[in-house]
Amino acid sequence: MDRETRNSAIAAAWILLLFGLAAYFLPTIMLAVGSVSTALAAIVAAIFMVALFVVFWLRGRSQHKKGR
């Protein structure tokens, strides 16, 4: 495993770990926010889903600019 591959694997592991933890606590967060507003709870879930794709999109753009 060369340096670039190792760094990509480490970055992917961190992304999956952080979003995995967020997904684990998402129901609790949504219930807490849902007690205030159900629409706000839906927005929180949508932001979580969009954030996942945005992180991978930004990483892809970064890798593309580096010419990998």
Side-chain angles (χ1 to χ4, degrees):
M1 181 180 281
D2 63 344
R3 183 173 185 224
E4 291 178 19
T5 306
R6 185 183 64 226
N7 287 343
S8 293
I10 291 170
W14 273 108
I15 291 169
L16 288 174
L17 178 70
L18 292 175
F19 275 99
L21 281 172
Y24 179 78
F25 290 111
L26 187 62
T28 306
I29 295 168
M30 286 184 62
L31 287 172
V33 174
S35 67
V36 175
S37 169
T38 53
L40 194 58
I43 291 170
V44 167
I47 288 172
F48 172 77
M49 292 304 298
V50 169
L52 180 64
F53 289 105
V54 167
V55 166
F56 283 118
W57 176 69
L58 288 173
R59 177 138 174 86
R61 281 183 49 133
S62 173
Q63 295 297 320
H64 182 69
K65 285 183 181 179
K66 291 180 183 177
R68 294 182 188 168

